[in-house]
Structures are given as C-alpha cells and as structure tokens.
C-alpha cells in the first residue's frame, strides 16, 4: 500500500474547521486536541504543535537556556541541531559519530564539553535510537539538557521505551516525507515540567498582545492540526510499512561484504525513515564511481554521499554566513573560539561520502522492484 493516505476523512476534518470559521489555534480547539492526543500516544506530559520540525528544535534550545556565548553539542552528519543552536545565537559544537550505527558518539560528546556547554542535541538518525543511557549519564554529570531530534524515529524504541520520551525534550517533524506527513509541521515535547511553560511561550501559542518573555510565532494552524488528528490514527501503519520496505534492502545486501547496512544494536527498534548503508567497495577493489554509474544505469533509486561533506565544512559555518558580524561564532561573550575545519570529526568525514540512503515511503511493490534492481547491480560486481 502507499505509505501516506489522505482521503474523505481528512477532507471532512478540514471542512469542519472551515465551517467553524476558526482557523487560528489561539482560540481554536483542534490544535489543542492534536497536542493532547499526541502526548498520550507517545507518553509525554506536554506536547506543543508548531509549524515545522526546525521550529520545534529552536523552541527546545530556547527552553534549555542556551543563548549568546553558550555552546550546544550536536551531531556531525546532519545540520539541523546545529542550525537550531545558531537560531538562538548559541554556538554549535559538533561531536563525532560511531562508524557502524552512524549515531552521535557519547565519548566524543564527553570530550566536547566545556564550561559553556548548555545542551546536547542527539539525532536518532535515519530512525535508529542513539545511546540514550550514556548521553543522559553525561548530562547528569555536567548538569546539561538533552534534546532528542526525533524527526526520523516515530515509534522507535530504546530498551522498550519510545524515543522522544528519553531526554529532557524532543522534537518531531511532520514534513511531507516523514512517518507522520502533514506537508510541514512539527511537535516539541517534554516529560519535565521545568520546560513546559517555556516551550508554550517559545511557540507563540498564547497569542498575547504583549510578550512577558521572548517568543516566536511558530503556531500550527487548525487546518493542519485537523489533518494531524486523522493521520495520528494511521501512523503506526505507516511506520510498519517503512520497516517492511527497509527490510527489502537489508535482504538485498545479504552476503555482501562491501555494502553494509546501518548496524542496529539488539536493545533498539529501528523505524526507518530512511534505509541507510555504507559503501565499502574501495576496500575490495570496487570503485564507488563505477558503482554509482551502475546504479544510475539500472534505474536504482539510492542516494550516495548524503550532503557529501560534514555540515560544519559548509560556508554557513566556516565563513560564517549567519548573523551580522559573524555571530554567534564570533560572539564576544564566548569563552573560547570554536573552529570548523577538516579533521574535526574524522569518523563523520570518512563516513559521509560512503552513505547510501533510500527513502522508505511508497508502495511495497515499488521497493521490491527497486531492491531487486539493487541486487542485480551488486551481482555485476561479484
């Protein structure tokens, strides 16, 4: 079946909002119902609906108390956590990743901590939970806030618990390609009452004429929330579909030493927003360029190399192309100058060009055909 289904039930939910004449969530009831149902489904105390996953990450950085002169430790394969830190004028500090899981390395996190560190943003990358016990232990030792970037990992599990409930706060993305697809929307959640009020304030949910604290207009409107309520009833099926589609690529790689799927520790459940693997062919005399050419010739839908280089090597960070006068990287409140240069996270830099990615959305039949084409390409190099 097609992963994301929108039908008469969604249309009727939207029609009810339009008929009410109340499209803004400030005085509406649908947005609040979406938040409450989401919180119950995931198992958190508070959920705040916003207009994107990036908005949700920014709200979490704000609630964590990170700002000018502060540092936020982030993943080094994706840029989203680091951008959320920059949004709030905090300095992103990149931690390296583990080679087999592609996830943030707790030991690298520990090495990056300074007296200015306020938070850790860990991404459950591609849908696989990070090592939360280790990260939470580091946070307790240094009085830090852990923010889960859960954009890829709806219903993923770490030791029997859902991701998004393990840190102090969590972000969910409902972008078009995510497990819960609303075009663009997001949710920021917490299990810790200390952060609940600031998350509501940061999202601009209250709609006050005057601002008692700094806030942004990240509200989710009632129309999108209405679709969200309908889609919440279907999201488990979408996740199961993604897992089933991903399994086809794991099967295609069976017995192949030069292509390796992302390693999944036994205490975790992967929910595969993306299927991920790595190209190791150069160690077996196989050219990556030849492999890419063969994929293209066979019509295999597979990305190679993700964003090609570690995010901190882009001009956004190295020039930097952020706020005026180079802030936050050149903030006069900084205790130290953080540099972004090759060699900062060697594992991430070595891994990035090898990454193989396939979106798990779409019909099972399409993925069966795509995986079969991949297997045919593999056998050319046998």
């Amino acid at each position: 079946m097609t992963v994301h289904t929108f039908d008469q039930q969604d249309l009727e939910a939207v029609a009810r909002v339009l008929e009410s004449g109340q499209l803004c969530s400030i005085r509406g009831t649908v947005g609040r119902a979406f938040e409450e149902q989401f919180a119950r489904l995931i198992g958190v105390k508070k959920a705040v609906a916003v207009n994107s996953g990036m908005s949700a990450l920014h709200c979490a950085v704000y609630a964590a108390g990170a700002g000018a002169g502060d540092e936020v430790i982030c993943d080094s394969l994706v840029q989203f956590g680091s951008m959320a830190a920059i949004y709030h004028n905090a300095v992103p500090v990149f931690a390296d990743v583990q080679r087999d899981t592609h996830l943030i390395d707790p030991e690298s996190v520990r090495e990056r901590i300074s007296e200015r560190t306020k938070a850790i943003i860990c991404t459950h990358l591609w849908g696989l939970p990070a090592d939360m016990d280790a990260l939470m232990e580091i946070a307790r030792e240094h009085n830090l806030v852990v923010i889960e970037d859960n954009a890829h990992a709806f219903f993923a599990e770490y030791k029997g618990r859902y991701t998004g409930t393990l840190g102090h706060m969590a972000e969910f993305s409902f972008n078009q390609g995510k497990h819960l697809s609303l075009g663009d929307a997001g949710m920021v959640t917490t299990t810790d009452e200390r952060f609940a009020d600031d998350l509501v304030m940061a999202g601009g949910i209250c709609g006050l004429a005057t601002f008692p604290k700094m806030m942004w207009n990240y509200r989710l409107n009632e129309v999108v929330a209405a679709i969200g309520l309908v889609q919440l009833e279907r999201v488990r099926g979408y996740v199961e579909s993604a897992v089933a589609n991903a399994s086809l690529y794991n099967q295609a790689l069976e017995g192949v030493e030069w292509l390796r799927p992302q390693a999944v520790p036994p205490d975790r459940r992967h929910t595969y927003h993306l299927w991920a693997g790595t190209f190791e062919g150069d160690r077996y005399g196989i050219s990556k360029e030849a492999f890419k050419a063969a994929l293209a010739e066979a019509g295999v839908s597979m990305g190679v190399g993700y964003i090609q280089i570690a995010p901190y090597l882009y001009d956004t960070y190295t020039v930097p192309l952020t706020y005026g006068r180079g802030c936050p990287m050149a903030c006069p409140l900084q205790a130290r100058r953080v540099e972004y240069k090759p060699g900062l996270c060697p594992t991430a830099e070595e891994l990035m060009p090898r990454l193989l990615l396939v979106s798990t959305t779409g019909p099972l039949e399409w993925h069966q055909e795509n995986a079969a084409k991949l297997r045919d390409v593999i056998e050319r190099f046998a």
Side-chain angles (χ1 to χ4, degrees), residues 75-79 97 102 125-126 306-307 311 348 351-352 355:
D75 296 81
S76 51
L77 283 179
V78 289
Q79 66 272 37
V97 297
H102 311 176
L125 199 57
W126 323 132
Y306 188 40
I307 59 173
L351 185 61
M352 179 68 77
L355 287 173

Side-chain angles (χ1 to χ4, degrees), residues 3-56:
V3 173
H4 298 122
T5 302
F6 302 96
D7 56 20
Q8 189 63 32
Q9 189 178 359
D10 299 273
L11 291 172
E12 290 172 358
V14 170
R16 287 192 293 271
V17 171
L18 296 177
E19 290 165 2
S20 76
Q22 183 59 55
L23 276 63
C24 178
S25 60
I26 294 174
R27 295 182 179 84
T29 60
V30 181
R32 285 196 291 273
F34 181 40
E35 293 171 340
E36 291 166 1
Q37 186 164 326
F38 188 90
R40 286 193 296 271
L41 183 66
I42 300 300
V44 294
K45 293 181 179 179
K46 184 68 177 178
V48 177
V50 290
N51 58 13
S52 73
M54 281 303 308
S55 298

